[in-house]
Amino acid sequence: MEIRDVAVVGLGTMGAGIAEVFARAGIGVVAIEADEQALRSGLGALDASLSRAVSRGRLDGAQQADIRARVRPATGFGDAAGVDLAVEVVPERIEIKRQVFAELDRVCSPDAILATNTSSLSVTAIAAGTRHPGRVVGMHFFNPAPVMGLVEVVRTVLTDDRVPAAVADLARRLGKTPVEVADRAGFIANALLLPYLNHAASLLESGYATAADIDMAATAGIGLPMGPLALLDLIGLDTSLSVLEVLHAEFGVARYCPTPLLRRLVTAGRTGRKAGRGIFSYEGGRATDATGVAGSAGSAEAVDLADAPDTVTVIGSADEQEADLASALASAGLNVTRNAAHPTDLILIVAEAGQPILPTALAAGRAGQAVGAHLPSGFAAGALVELVATSLTADTTMRTAAALAARLGLSVVRAPDRPGFLVGALLYPHLADAVRMAQDGYASATDIDTAMTLGCGYPRGPFELIDAAGAADVLAGLRAMYIAYGYPAFAPPPLLAEHAAAGIDFAAVRRARPAATSDDLARSGPAR
Ligand code: CAA
């Protein structure tokens, strides 16, 4: 069935973005809000986005006018009577969603598809409350809707076969990639993303690392487009909190239990970018840490290059990383000694993920002067170095090491001497969640990688990241975290252990035995 005319109910940040996506694709949109004021604000957001596209030369004035003319504002449901599809984008409360669906059910033709953009609520529960549950489906966009390339198409046990196929076709017409999933809290992307964001917020809250360091570890260390704390502010802390609550209620595992900091900030009205303040403050056009968590001031704390020493001792296992670091130090004009018996004022211990540096620092005899240096993605210009402090490392030593790293052109984050340091502590449990999702049979590795690259802008999906790091290294990092903390979320999933033991990457298995993607499933009819 061809979808020519749609209704979008709710013009908040996501709704306005979704209305824009439809209108840009040549589809007529009835834009429905509860009252004139909400309507004005939603249309204002849509207009601002179109004007930005014009100012960047992506649209001309005539195209802007055409797109805008396709949007028909309304404050009642009556105008939705003739549409082929209605998408509900109202706040994440089941009673509000049900009310909207009751109205749509009453007004729309029985052939029209009714979709919800819910991030986490049960599509089945929404469908079951309508007169024609077979036409109800999830159509889940990602923020910012005009930019992110994924649409999760959520089928319930009640959904008619024609419906997900039609919605997937429509998503393609919008220039998005559909991934079909069964109705389970968080679907693919949120079920993986939110616990990772929650974990990042708990690392901030516990003083494990600063807000600036956590975000830098994700961007410079993993290559993600945004740090997890900035992303929480973009999604909205209130939305993030409610998605976590639903995930926690559905799966009952601690990883989904919202860290108290999130609830505190939401209670205080600091819901993120839209409120001007969340984890960061956006007042004055510049994001600054605003949590007031002890020790959360950015480690982007001014580095004085004059603090850099002339001589440094490097201790390591004589591997490539140590050789690279030593030669970079030498070419920066430093005297490098590798003789731990006569250590200098700064002892750099080339750290290995999963291995504490404290024993080496103690063996060197001057633990106050010893700092671990871990290069998560190897040594390259502009690369990230994790400076690892033991509980004996002096503050002046950290400053000296940071100045040295800056002199080498490295970005710096500070991490405690705990398994995974900072990059691994963020990444390994996130990758384990992805492996568990595939292991549980909820989604294929291919669909998971597609969801995270197109929905969240990852340069590589979780399975590609595991392949790049090596399953054995990810396994070792997780094991060390699990032994140290005992959290079930850190327990290595058997599927990862199998890949590590067999020495085969996930891509090789996909090549040999291509996993069914959601597209294959759509072609072969309903399998679930
Ligand atoms: N609306 C419209 N367009 C926007 C936009 C917005 N809010 N924000 C950015 N853009 C556009 C810009 O205009 C720009 O377009 P052009 O190239 O045509 O000029 C393009 O996006 C890139 O923007 P910037 O150069 O300003 O910034 P960037 O390169 O840093 O990209 C980003 C910004 C796209 C947001 C990127 O940082 C990113 O991909 N971040 C990850 C976002 C993410 O994970 N989203 C999913 C959240 S989870 C979710 O939404 C599901 C849920 O249910 C909770």
Side-chain angles (χ1 to χ4, degrees):
M1 67 177 284
E2 168 117 29
I3 294 169
R4 289 193 203 85
D5 219 19
V6 303
V8 174
V9 184
L11 289 190
T13 317
M14 280 306 283
I18 292 170
E20 178 184 339
V21 170
F22 283 125
R24 275 181 177 234
I27 295 168
V29 184
V30 181
I32 302 174
E33 253 300 355
D35 53 49
E36 288 293 342
Q37 197 191 342
L39 201 52
R40 262 198 307 278
S41 145
L43 294 173
L46 194 154
D47 285 334
S49 179
L50 292 177
S51 301
R52 191 169 52 230
V54 172
S55 68
R56 294 199 179 202
R58 306 275 175 200
L59 287 178
D60 61 31
Q63 287 167 316
Q64 179 184 22
D66 281 353
I67 293 169
R68 194 56 180 76
R70 278 185 212 115
V71 180
R72 290 142 27 222
T75 49
F77 285 85
D79 292 1
V83 299
D84 307 306
L85 165 85
V87 187
E88 163 278 307
V89 202
V90 301
E92 288 287 277
R93 301 232 311 271
I94 191 81
E95 65 281 8
I96 307 182
K97 305 245 181 215
R98 280 209 168 120
Q99 254 170 31
V100 167
F101 273 79
E103 291 288 348
L104 292 173
D105 214 12
R106 188 175 57 78
V107 165
C108 296
S109 109
D111 290 335
I113 295 173
L114 306 187
T116 170
N117 179 59
T118 184
S119 317
S120 57
L121 296 177
S122 162
V123 181
T124 313
I126 295 169
T130 65
R131 281 182 303 159
H132 307 285
R135 61 171 167 165
V136 177
V137 72
M139 187 176 194
H140 185 221
F141 290 82
F142 289 79
N143 192 357
V147 184
M148 308 314 287
L150 179 72
V151 171
E152 287 175 318
V153 179
V154 186
R155 169 199 283 270
T156 78
V157 287
L158 300 165
T159 311
D160 293 342
D161 290 346
R162 67 175 179 105
V163 172
V167 171
D169 278 347
L170 174 64
R172 286 187 204 95
R173 273 172 61 205
L174 302 176
K176 314 277 185 200
T177 299
V179 168
E180 192 184 311
V181 286
D183 185 22
R184 193 174 100 161
F187 316 130
I188 297 179
N190 280 346
L192 296 179
L193 185 69
L194 267 298
Y196 150 73
L197 303 183
N198 191 37
H199 182 49
S202 78
L203 292 180
L204 172 68
E205 183 164 21
S206 65
Y208 188 97
T210 67
D213 281 359
I214 290 170
D215 275 12
M216 174 136 13
T219 51
I222 309 173
L224 302 184
M226 294 177 83
L229 304 177
L231 187 50
L232 276 166
D233 278 352
L234 175 76
I235 295 171
L237 300 185
D238 48 347
T239 305
S240 304
L241 181 65
S242 70
V243 177
L244 282 165
E245 282 170 343
V246 172
L247 286 164
H248 192 226
E250 174 126 336
F251 298 107
V253 294
R255 190 153 162 78
Y256 300 125
C257 182
T259 198
L261 175 66
L262 290 181
R263 203 178 295 283
R264 275 206 306 280
L265 291 172
V266 171
T267 306
R270 286 170 48 175
T271 51
R273 266 195 209 187
K274 60 189 168 190
R277 277 188 123 197
I279 290 174
F280 297 102
S281 167
Y282 301 87
E283 284 149 10
R286 197 173 147 263
T288 50
D289 175 27
T291 50
V293 173
S296 68
S299 94
E301 109 196 4
V303 172
D304 187 349
L305 285 180
D307 284 339
D310 296 324
T311 310
V312 57
T313 303
V314 175
I315 304 177
S317 50
D319 60 3
E320 202 181 323
Q321 217 174 83
E322 183 190 339
D324 283 353
L325 190 61
S327 78
L329 289 163
S331 29
L334 278 105
N335 294 320
V336 180
T337 155
R338 288 169 160 189
N339 186 348
H342 300 287
T344 54
D345 285 347
L346 179 64
I347 306 166
L348 275 187
I349 298 171
V350 181
E352 287 171 45
Q355 301 290 329
I357 64 149
L358 186 60
T360 315
L362 290 171
R366 309 231 306 264
Q369 273 102 320
V371 180
H374 182 241
L375 295 150
S377 17
F379 193 95
L384 179 86
V385 63
E386 295 179 279
L387 291 180
V388 181
T390 73
S391 37
L392 300 175
T393 306
D395 288 347
T396 48
T397 307
M398 280 306 268
R399 274 201 295 280
T400 311
L404 183 60
R407 193 161 143 189
L408 297 184
L410 296 169
S411 303
V412 174
V413 296
R414 289 144 216 251
D417 189 20
R418 310 242 183 94
F421 307 131
L422 183 50
V423 172
L426 284 169
L427 182 63
Y428 295 149
H430 186 39
L431 299 180
D433 287 343
V435 174
R436 257 189 296 274
M437 183 180 274
Q439 185 183 274
D440 291 352
Y442 177 65
S444 68
T446 305
D447 279 352
I448 293 170
D449 276 357
T450 303
M452 300 315 284
T453 49
L454 297 179
C456 306
Y458 285 23
R460 290 181 285 190
F463 291 90
E464 290 166 321
L465 285 167
I466 295 173
D467 286 351
D473 282 3
V474 177
L475 181 73
L478 269 172
R479 272 204 183 124
M481 289 179 72
Y482 186 52
I483 290 165
Y485 299 100
Y487 299 152
F490 300 164
L495 181 62
L496 179 68
E498 275 167 37
H499 275 261
I504 42 166
D505 58 26
F506 284 91
V509 173
R510 273 189 252 181
R511 277 194 302 275
R513 181 163 44 83
T517 65
S518 58
D519 276 359
D520 298 329
L521 293 173
R523 273 194 295 276
S524 64
R528 290 165 262 178

